[in-house]
Amino acid sequence: MHDNRSTDSNPLAGSLEARLRALPQPRVPADLERRLLAAIPAAQPLARADRPAARAYRSASPWRWLAAAGVCGMLAAACLLIALALPRGDATRSVAKTDQPRHSAGQTNAAAAPAGNRMRPFFDASKPPKFAWPLAGAPSLTAASRLRAVSFD
Amino acid sequence: MPPDDQFPWQDLRAGRPEACAELVRANYQAVYRFLVHLTRDVHRAEDLTQETFASAWQRIASFEGRAAPSTWLHRIAYTKFIDAERSQRRAAALLERCPSRADLPDPLDIALAGDEVRRLHEALDELDAADRAPLVLHYLQGLSYREMAVVLDEPVGTVKWRTSEALGRLRTRLKEEVIDDARQPLH
């Protein structure tokens, strides 16, 4: 198997290849063989595939893979269950805000409100609900209204 | 070349000293000559040959026998040579390496073999190791392109191209030498 391109393009190439093949080879030191033979270790390590640990691993490997897959599946199922069981506060609140009409303070019906709304005061402690002052004939005020300081004197 | 079916692979993998000795006897000369041509230094070639076989004993357990043992050993030898060249290149920054034509194993034989052989040896030595390796493997060691691809860790097409290029450069060097000789005055 030789390169035909070089021989075709140049007639001298063939002779050069023949001259290269005919080059005298360097002499090998006489004691090199003896040294190399002496360097052969007495006991070679066993082939990797024949080691007892490798055999045990190879025989147990299908079960090992099955066990690993089972554990991974159980973990994934547990994560899914936890995610489903957690209260979805934000999502429910946004839906309640958009879908339900806005109730006045007197019309609040705790029994009719969904579970998410019932839990809302507990979670939204920083945002107090509207409060109607019990004053006859006076317009209802909210906690957010600004009151003058003289009203409390 | 497919792996030799007659070779006692099982004995070799099992680390039987007889099989290892047979591997040494069958291949050490080729490995040594390959390394002499690459290094141009008989002492380095000897050291690298011993390192090659020491490395082979370490890897023999994992040798799968996909390639012929000689190809496998050439591959290890070439890797050893590349590693040695890298470390020597670092050292060469401190100490410039002299051309080692005097270290060639048989200068007398070469001289006796004739002027043409001497010219060819010199032109071969002046090539880079990257050019010398495919030429030595193919023409002096007799490896096929497929085996050379394993040794040089390159595709077969690349190996063919490299061999052709190296042969062209060798031819150019030989022509230059002939022209230089013709220009020299006769004594």
Side-chain angles (χ1 to χ4, degrees):
Chain A
M1 190 172 16
H2 298 299
D3 190 10
N4 293 326
R5 187 180 51 182
S6 59
T7 53
D8 290 344
S9 60
N10 192 336
L12 291 174
S15 65
L16 178 58
E17 290 172 2
R19 282 158 59 194
L20 271 175
R21 284 200 184 89
L23 267 182
Q25 291 279 16
R27 191 188 303 152
V28 180
D31 60 339
L32 183 60
E33 181 183 352
R34 182 186 53 76
R35 274 184 280 156
L36 291 172
L37 290 175
I40 295 174
Q44 289 290 323
L46 277 173
R48 203 175 292 157
D50 296 336
R51 284 181 193 154
R55 260 204 311 269
Y57 179 82
R58 203 169 55 237
S59 61
S61 57
W63 297 108
R64 202 178 285 235
W65 280 110
L66 276 176
V71 168
C72 287
M74 286 172 66
L75 280 173
C79 289
L80 188 65
L81 282 174
I82 289 169
L84 287 173
L86 276 177
R88 286 169 288 172
D90 287 337
T92 313
R93 203 178 306 148
S94 63
V95 169
K97 272 181 189 170
T98 52
D99 291 349
Q100 294 187 357
R102 202 169 172 173
H103 295 288
S104 66
Q107 291 171 342
T108 303
N109 189 356
N117 281 359
R118 261 182 279 149
M119 303 267 300
R120 195 193 301 170
F122 179 76
F123 289 115
D124 294 350
S126 60
K127 205 174 181 183
K130 286 180 182 176
F131 178 73
W133 289 91
L135 297 174
S140 62
L141 292 172
T142 63
S145 303
R146 183 178 289 238
L147 297 175
R148 271 184 260 166
V150 293
S151 303
F152 297 100
D153 290 340
Chain B
M1 189 196 305
D4 188 4
D5 292 335
Q6 303 297 320
F7 200 83
W9 295 111
Q10 297 300 325
D11 292 349
L12 197 60
R13 285 202 200 98
R16 303 248 158 75
E18 302 83 28
C20 296
E22 191 178 339
L23 187 75
V24 168
R25 286 193 196 99
N27 294 286
Y28 83 97
Q29 292 187 347
V31 169
Y32 171 77
R33 284 170 179 155
F34 175 50
L35 287 167
V36 166
H37 282 294
L38 288 183
T39 59
R40 294 173 292 164
D41 185 332
V42 288
H43 303 297
R44 279 184 70 205
E46 276 187 50
D47 292 343
L48 288 177
T49 304
Q50 295 190 64
E51 286 179 24
T52 298
F53 279 95
S55 183
W57 305 141
Q58 287 175 356
R59 303 182 200 177
I60 197 76
S62 59
F63 179 52
E64 296 175 357
R66 283 187 206 153
S70 63
T71 308
W72 179 62
L73 287 170
H74 273 86
R75 169 72 192 148
I76 297 174
Y78 186 66
T79 311
K80 290 283 172 195
F81 166 70
I82 296 289
D83 293 345
E85 278 293 296
R86 278 191 193 129
S87 54
Q88 191 168 4
R89 216 171 290 153
R90 275 182 236 123
L94 300 172
L95 182 68
E96 193 177 347
R97 181 178 168 231
C98 299
S100 53
R101 195 160 298 145
D103 291 334
L104 272 174
D106 296 320
L108 186 62
D109 288 353
I110 293 168
L112 291 174
D115 199 36
E116 186 183 319
V117 171
R118 180 189 58 78
R119 276 188 188 145
L120 195 53
H121 256 297
E122 286 177 356
L124 198 61
D125 287 347
E126 283 169 7
L127 290 178
D128 292 337
D131 283 340
R132 209 161 52 241
L135 291 180
V136 170
L137 282 171
H138 191 54
Y139 296 111
L140 278 78
Q141 301 292 98
L143 266 66
S144 68
Y145 286 123
R146 199 177 294 274
E147 289 168 327
M148 288 166 64
V150 175
V151 174
L152 301 174
D153 196 21
E154 284 179 348
V156 177
T158 307
V159 168
K160 281 184 186 178
W161 176 78
R162 274 183 64 182
T163 309
S164 171
E165 291 288 309
L167 198 65
R169 275 190 272 274
L170 180 68
R171 192 179 303 119
T172 307
R173 284 196 183 278
L174 284 170
K175 281 177 186 170
E176 285 171 0
E177 280 190 13
V178 169
I179 292 168
D180 288 345
D181 287 351
R183 281 177 184 162
Q184 282 180 359
L186 291 171
H187 297 292

